[in-house]
PDB file of all heavy atoms in Angstrom:
ATOM      1  N   ASN B 876      21.921 -39.141  19.943  1.00 87.00           N
ATOM      2  CA  ASN B 876      22.696 -39.041  21.168  1.00 87.00           C
ATOM      3  C   ASN B 876      21.810 -38.631  22.381  1.00 87.00           C
ATOM      4  O   ASN B 876      21.209 -37.587  22.295  1.00 87.00           O
ATOM      5  CB  ASN B 876      23.828 -38.022  21.107  1.00 87.00           C
ATOM      6  CG  ASN B 876      24.720 -38.290  19.837  1.00 87.00           C
ATOM      7  OD1 ASN B 876      24.244 -38.133  18.727  1.00 87.00           O
ATOM      8  ND2 ASN B 876      25.883 -38.611  20.168  1.00 87.00           N
ATOM      9  N   THR B 877      21.720 -39.502  23.330  1.00 86.00           N
ATOM     10  CA  THR B 877      21.007 -39.079  24.538  1.00 86.00           C
ATOM     11  C   THR B 877      21.379 -39.971  25.783  1.00 86.00           C
ATOM     12  O   THR B 877      21.885 -41.073  25.633  1.00 86.00           O
ATOM     13  CB  THR B 877      19.439 -39.262  24.267  1.00 86.00           C
ATOM     14  OG1 THR B 877      18.801 -38.941  25.500  1.00 86.00           O
ATOM     15  CG2 THR B 877      19.047 -40.652  23.856  1.00 86.00           C
ATOM     16  N   GLU B 878      21.201 -39.351  26.901  1.00 83.00           N
ATOM     17  CA  GLU B 878      21.500 -40.109  28.075  1.00 83.00           C
ATOM     18  C   GLU B 878      20.495 -41.265  28.296  1.00 83.00           C
ATOM     19  O   GLU B 878      20.837 -42.346  28.821  1.00 83.00           O
ATOM     20  CB  GLU B 878      21.349 -39.198  29.382  1.00 83.00           C
ATOM     21  CG  GLU B 878      22.536 -38.371  29.607  1.00 83.00           C
ATOM     22  CD  GLU B 878      22.423 -37.382  30.732  1.00 83.00           C
ATOM     23  OE1 GLU B 878      21.328 -37.517  31.436  1.00 83.00           O
ATOM     24  OE2 GLU B 878      23.229 -36.543  30.929  1.00 83.00           O
ATOM     25  N   LYS B 879      19.239 -41.029  27.859  1.00 82.00           N
ATOM     26  CA  LYS B 879      18.230 -42.055  27.939  1.00 82.00           C
ATOM     27  C   LYS B 879      18.424 -43.054  26.867  1.00 82.00           C
ATOM     28  O   LYS B 879      17.799 -42.955  25.749  1.00 82.00           O
ATOM     29  CB  LYS B 879      16.825 -41.450  27.875  1.00 82.00           C
ATOM     30  CG  LYS B 879      16.597 -40.352  28.852  1.00 82.00           C
ATOM     31  CD  LYS B 879      15.961 -40.945  30.121  1.00 82.00           C
ATOM     32  CE  LYS B 879      15.851 -39.872  31.240  1.00 82.00           C
ATOM     33  NZ  LYS B 879      15.441 -40.550  32.554  1.00 82.00           N
ATOM     34  N   THR B 880      19.232 -44.055  27.107  1.00 81.00           N
ATOM     35  CA  THR B 880      19.595 -44.967  25.940  1.00 81.00           C
ATOM     36  C   THR B 880      18.444 -45.728  25.474  1.00 81.00           C
ATOM     37  O   THR B 880      18.369 -46.037  24.239  1.00 81.00           O
ATOM     38  CB  THR B 880      20.739 -45.919  26.437  1.00 81.00           C
ATOM     39  OG1 THR B 880      20.377 -46.392  27.802  1.00 81.00           O
ATOM     40  CG2 THR B 880      22.036 -45.133  26.472  1.00 81.00           C
ATOM     41  N   VAL B 881      17.492 -46.123  26.367  1.00 82.00           N
ATOM     42  CA  VAL B 881      16.352 -46.898  25.934  1.00 82.00           C
ATOM     43  C   VAL B 881      15.578 -46.065  24.864  1.00 82.00           C
ATOM     44  O   VAL B 881      15.179 -46.484  23.795  1.00 82.00           O
ATOM     45  CB  VAL B 881      15.456 -47.306  27.078  1.00 82.00           C
ATOM     46  CG1 VAL B 881      14.381 -48.235  26.613  1.00 82.00           C
ATOM     47  CG2 VAL B 881      16.364 -47.958  28.145  1.00 82.00           C
ATOM     48  N   MET B 882      15.314 -44.797  25.278  1.00 83.00           N
ATOM     49  CA  MET B 882      14.588 -44.018  24.467  1.00 83.00           C
ATOM     50  C   MET B 882      15.273 -43.778  23.099  1.00 83.00           C
ATOM     51  O   MET B 882      14.636 -43.739  22.081  1.00 83.00           O
ATOM     52  CB  MET B 882      14.252 -42.604  25.102  1.00 83.00           C
ATOM     53  CG  MET B 882      13.188 -42.764  26.164  1.00 83.00           C
ATOM     54  SD  MET B 882      12.909 -41.014  26.827  1.00 83.00           S
ATOM     55  CE  MET B 882      11.861 -40.409  25.658  1.00 83.00           C
ATOM     56  N   GLY B 883      16.560 -43.625  23.266  1.00 84.00           N
ATOM     57  CA  GLY B 883      17.402 -43.465  22.049  1.00 84.00           C
ATOM     58  C   GLY B 883      17.180 -44.548  21.080  1.00 84.00           C
ATOM     59  O   GLY B 883      16.976 -44.280  19.876  1.00 84.00           O
ATOM     60  N   SER B 884      17.323 -45.794  21.537  1.00 84.00           N
ATOM     61  CA  SER B 884      17.257 -46.890  20.619  1.00 84.00           C
ATOM     62  C   SER B 884      15.860 -47.044  19.955  1.00 84.00           C
ATOM     63  O   SER B 884      15.601 -47.323  18.908  1.00 84.00           O
ATOM     64  CB  SER B 884      17.714 -48.194  21.183  1.00 84.00           C
ATOM     65  OG  SER B 884      16.837 -48.478  22.351  1.00 84.00           O
ATOM     66  N   MET B 885      14.758 -46.744  20.842  1.00 85.00           N
ATOM     67  CA  MET B 885      13.428 -46.802  20.318  1.00 85.00           C
ATOM     68  C   MET B 885      13.243 -45.657  19.258  1.00 85.00           C
ATOM     69  O   MET B 885      12.587 -45.948  18.244  1.00 85.00           O
ATOM     70  CB  MET B 885      12.468 -46.562  21.458  1.00 85.00           C
ATOM     71  CG  MET B 885      12.381 -47.843  22.352  1.00 85.00           C
ATOM     72  SD  MET B 885      11.474 -47.444  23.792  1.00 85.00           S
ATOM     73  CE  MET B 885       9.735 -47.629  23.214  1.00 85.00           C
ATOM     74  N   LEU B 886      13.823 -44.552  19.526  1.00 86.00           N
ATOM     75  CA  LEU B 886      13.566 -43.503  18.621  1.00 86.00           C
ATOM     76  C   LEU B 886      14.338 -43.761  17.323  1.00 86.00           C
ATOM     77  O   LEU B 886      13.790 -43.441  16.214  1.00 86.00           O
ATOM     78  CB  LEU B 886      14.190 -42.101  19.247  1.00 86.00           C
ATOM     79  CG  LEU B 886      13.870 -40.867  18.539  1.00 86.00           C
ATOM     80  CD1 LEU B 886      12.407 -40.618  18.363  1.00 86.00           C
ATOM     81  CD2 LEU B 886      14.570 -39.771  19.259  1.00 86.00           C
ATOM     82  N   LEU B 887      15.552 -44.349  17.429  1.00 86.00           N
ATOM     83  CA  LEU B 887      16.216 -44.712  16.257  1.00 86.00           C
ATOM     84  C   LEU B 887      15.450 -45.578  15.316  1.00 86.00           C
ATOM     85  O   LEU B 887      15.374 -45.352  14.184  1.00 86.00           O
ATOM     86  CB  LEU B 887      17.536 -45.378  16.682  1.00 86.00           C
ATOM     87  CG  LEU B 887      18.479 -45.818  15.506  1.00 86.00           C
ATOM     88  CD1 LEU B 887      18.995 -44.559  14.789  1.00 86.00           C
ATOM     89  CD2 LEU B 887      19.635 -46.668  15.990  1.00 86.00           C
ATOM     90  N   ARG B 888      14.798 -46.589  15.952  1.00 86.00           N
ATOM     91  CA  ARG B 888      13.993 -47.495  15.184  1.00 86.00           C
ATOM     92  C   ARG B 888      12.937 -46.747  14.340  1.00 86.00           C
ATOM     93  O   ARG B 888      12.675 -47.028  13.287  1.00 86.00           O
ATOM     94  CB  ARG B 888      13.372 -48.563  16.078  1.00 86.00           C
ATOM     95  CG  ARG B 888      13.304 -49.891  15.494  1.00 86.00           C
ATOM     96  CD  ARG B 888      12.777 -51.019  16.415  1.00 86.00           C
ATOM     97  NE  ARG B 888      13.494 -50.767  17.696  1.00 86.00           N
ATOM     98  CZ  ARG B 888      12.871 -51.134  18.950  1.00 86.00           C
ATOM     99  NH1 ARG B 888      11.612 -51.476  18.947  1.00 86.00           N
ATOM    100  NH2 ARG B 888      13.482 -50.996  20.015  1.00 86.00           N
ATOM    101  N   GLN B 889      12.301 -45.819  15.116  1.00 85.00           N
ATOM    102  CA  GLN B 889      11.163 -45.165  14.434  1.00 85.00           C
ATOM    103  C   GLN B 889      11.621 -44.219  13.377  1.00 85.00           C
ATOM    104  O   GLN B 889      10.931 -44.166  12.216  1.00 85.00           O
ATOM    105  CB  GLN B 889      10.377 -44.340  15.525  1.00 85.00           C
ATOM    106  CG  GLN B 889       9.737 -45.185  16.589  1.00 85.00           C
ATOM    107  CD  GLN B 889       8.508 -44.639  17.158  1.00 85.00           C
ATOM    108  OE1 GLN B 889       8.189 -43.396  16.859  1.00 85.00           O
ATOM    109  NE2 GLN B 889       7.741 -45.445  17.821  1.00 85.00           N
ATOM    110  N   VAL B 890      12.775 -43.498  13.581  1.00 84.00           N
ATOM    111  CA  VAL B 890      13.210 -42.612  12.506  1.00 84.00           C
ATOM    112  C   VAL B 890      13.682 -43.502  11.374  1.00 84.00           C
ATOM    113  O   VAL B 890      13.313 -43.061  10.150  1.00 84.00           O
ATOM    114  CB  VAL B 890      14.467 -41.835  13.120  1.00 84.00           C
ATOM    115  CG1 VAL B 890      15.035 -41.037  11.964  1.00 84.00           C
ATOM    116  CG2 VAL B 890      13.959 -40.927  14.257  1.00 84.00           C
TER     117      VAL B 890
END
Side-chain angles (χ1 to χ4, degrees):
Chain B
N876 304 69
T877 177
E878 279 175 9
K879 302 270 173 185
T880 44
V881 184
M882 283 183 83
S884 60
M885 285 168 81
L886 189 60
L887 180 66
R888 214 175 317 145
Q889 296 209 348
V890 174

